[in-house]
Each structure stands twice: as C-alpha cells, then as structure tokens.
Amino acid sequence: MEKELWKPGNMLYPLPVVMVSVTDGEGHDNIITVAWTGTVCSDPPMLSVSLRPERYSYSMLKKTGEFVVNLVTEDLVYATDFCGVKSGRDLDKFREMKLTRLPASKVQAPMIGESPVNLECRVSQVIPLGTHDMFLAQIVAVHADRQYMDEKGKFHLEQARPVVYSHGDYLATGEKLGTFGYSVRKKGD
C-alpha cells in the first residue's frame, strides 16, 4: 500500500461528539459542542473535554468546575451543530433549540433531557495544552434513558442512534460487527 506523508495533525477519527452543558452558577446556562473528548480512566470513572479559552463556556466551566456531558443522537445532530457554531453570549441555546433543561443530581450544570445519556462531571485538573485546555473530570453521576433498556436492565445505546464526528462531518454509527472478545472465543460459546 502506498501512503502519503502529511505534517503532524489530529487524525484520530472518528470521535464522539457531545454537547457539554455548563452554568455560571448565577442563572446563565450554556451548551457547547465538543469533539475533543474521551474516556481517561475506569476507576475512578473519568473523562476529559478540551476547550479553547476564548469560548463562552470556558469561563463558566473554569468558574464552577462542573459540567454535564450529553451524548448525541441522530435526532440531536441539528442542535449539536447549532450549539457548536452559535455563541451562548448571543442567545439561549436551550430555548433556541427547544431542548429540555433538566436538573442534575450532583452538579449545578443542567442536563439535556433529549440526550440518552448524561454524565455529570467535576473537574479535578485543568491542563493547558496550546490552543485548548484539557479539563480532566471525575464522573460523579450517570443518567440513562429507560426507553433504551431491555427487560433485564441492559442499556442499548445503539437504539438511540448515536453519532460520531469526522473531519467536519457528523456520521451515524453502523451495525454491530462483533462483541468484545469474539475473536478469541471458542466456536459454540
């Protein structure tokens, strides 16, 4: 195979795309779309989000040290894009996108009701990296929409039709190709 050499850059795609909800603790909430996000630890459960300091949500997040990661579905793609290109300085994104503002159980920031999964987070460390600062955070509560649970209590996120982001495009996730460990299971297991 012939490969073309490119300058160093972010080519780790696709990425999860999420809507992060924040508050300033004084009655002003906002939603920011984030693709620079990911899991960083299982125990304690932690994730990271990276934001540019000039973004409106940055100062809110820095002030309160709390936020909610709201997973995105195909039904939320328009709102996700809108929340990524419009500034909360100019408008209330919850109202504009007709999103349901729900109270979180452990943090001040609101949850987005239409999201199938909401992860309440508390910042443990902020790491300046260059264009972005990374907020490492502990997940302090998880909310999962009951409509995606089966009779045994297993959550089926795939039924919510989650979305990923790649080079400026929002993409639907595909069909299941296997399960963890299927490559080493004995036939008949």
Side-chain angles (χ1 to χ4, degrees):
M1 287 189 207
E2 190 176 337
K3 302 277 184 173
E4 186 174 317
L5 179 63
W6 290 358
K7 68 177 184 170
N10 292 317
M11 292 296 293
L12 184 61
Y13 287 106
L15 300 165
V17 60
V18 298
M19 290 191 286
V20 173
S21 45
V22 295
T23 188
D24 66 2
E26 298 174 18
H28 301 99
D29 302 331
N30 196 40
I31 303 168
I32 183 171
T33 299
V34 175
W36 301 134
T37 185
T39 299
V40 296
C41 189
S42 299
D43 187 15
M46 295 180 74
L47 58 76
S48 69
V49 295
S50 293
L51 277 71
R52 292 178 181 266
E54 62 269 16
R55 298 296 298 262
Y56 179 64
S57 293
Y58 180 93
S59 62
M60 293 180 170
L61 183 51
K62 198 81 159 148
K63 177 182 177 184
T64 65
E66 297 180 343
F67 61 97
V68 178
V69 170
N70 303 276
L71 298 191
V72 171
T73 64
E74 289 178 24
D75 291 341
L76 290 170
V77 167
Y78 185 86
T80 301
D81 186 65
F82 184 91
C83 291
V85 297
K86 292 290 188 175
S87 175
R89 288 181 185 95
D90 305 322
L91 50 86
D92 180 339
K93 296 178 190 180
F94 278 97
R95 187 174 339 115
E96 288 291 320
M97 291 291 98
K98 297 177 176 54
L99 294 171
T100 307
R101 191 182 323 241
L102 295 177
S105 63
K106 306 271 187 193
V107 302
Q108 297 177 64
M111 302 186 304
I112 298 172
E114 291 75 11
S115 174
V117 177
N118 316 91
L119 307 168
E120 296 184 46
C121 301
R122 281 204 186 102
V123 175
S124 59
Q125 188 177 1
V126 181
I127 304 170
L129 298 173
T131 58
H132 292 69
D133 286 356
M134 180 190 301
F135 292 82
L136 288 176
Q138 188 164 346
I139 301 166
V140 296
V142 176
H143 303 262
D145 194 326
R146 287 188 182 123
Q147 73 174 317
Y148 302 113
M149 291 187 197
D150 64 22
E151 61 282 347
K152 295 180 180 176
K154 181 178 179 183
F155 187 71
H156 294 275
L157 181 60
E158 74 281 1
Q159 293 174 4
R161 300 182 335 270
V163 172
V164 294
Y165 179 83
S166 181
H167 297 282
D169 296 326
Y170 303 102
L171 305 170
T173 54
E175 64 186 77
K176 181 167 73 171
L177 303 175
T179 58
F180 180 76
Y182 84 100
S183 65
V184 295
R185 282 194 197 102
K186 294 181 181 166
K187 302 287 185 212
D189 282 354

